[in-house]
Amino acid sequence: QVQLVESGGGLVQAGESLRLACVASGRIFSRYCMGWFRQAPEKEREFVATISGNGDVTYYADSVKGRFTISRGNPNTLYLQMNTLKPEDTAVYYCAARADASGTYYYTNREEYDNWGQGTQVTVSS
């Protein structure tokens, strides 16, 4: 198991930026594929971005491609840089981890992740 704690959410206006952070503890960070998901009110939790354990491979949802950037930093921190935010980006954002010994795979389905943070609220006003 790995413990995940997100931070960085807040209220911003459309067009502004935010950077979310997720600190992981409990296991070797590089042996985990990491992902960001989000859940808006009355909607299912949806995939946003993912990064392989070695950091070489990233993948994004079409809705955020070109605006959001996922990255890994030291020590044991996952980031999501969100630029040009839109009101439809409003949601609770969750950090997730899934063990991957190879360090080369990524996963986009929430069912494939078994470690989750508590979430951080992002609200974008128009």
Side-chain angles (χ1 to χ4, degrees), residues 4 22 33-37 78 94-98 113 115-117:
L4 305 171
C22 171
C33 165
M34 303 295 295
W36 287 101
F37 290 76
L78 178 72
Y94 296 91
C95 171
R98 180 238 162 85
Y113 290 83
N115 297 277
W116 292 87

Side-chain angles (χ1 to χ4, degrees), residues 56-78:
D56 288 347
V57 183
T58 59
Y59 189 81
Y60 298 90
D62 288 343
S63 59
V64 307
K65 200 172 298 181
R67 299 188 298 122
F68 290 11
T69 302
I70 188 171
S71 62
R72 307 176 76 109
N74 294 319
N76 294 355
T77 304
L78 178 72

Side-chain angles (χ1 to χ4, degrees), residues 17-48:
S17 298
L18 274 177
R19 188 175 78 159
L20 305 183
C22 171
V23 177
S25 60
R27 289 291 186 267
I28 301 173
F29 189 51
S30 62
R31 300 288 179 88
Y32 280 81
C33 165
M34 303 295 295
W36 287 101
F37 290 76
R38 66 186 181 186
Q39 188 166 16
E42 301 181 359
K43 292 189 176 181
E44 292 189 354
R45 191 171 300 188
E46 66 175 5
F47 166 76
V48 174

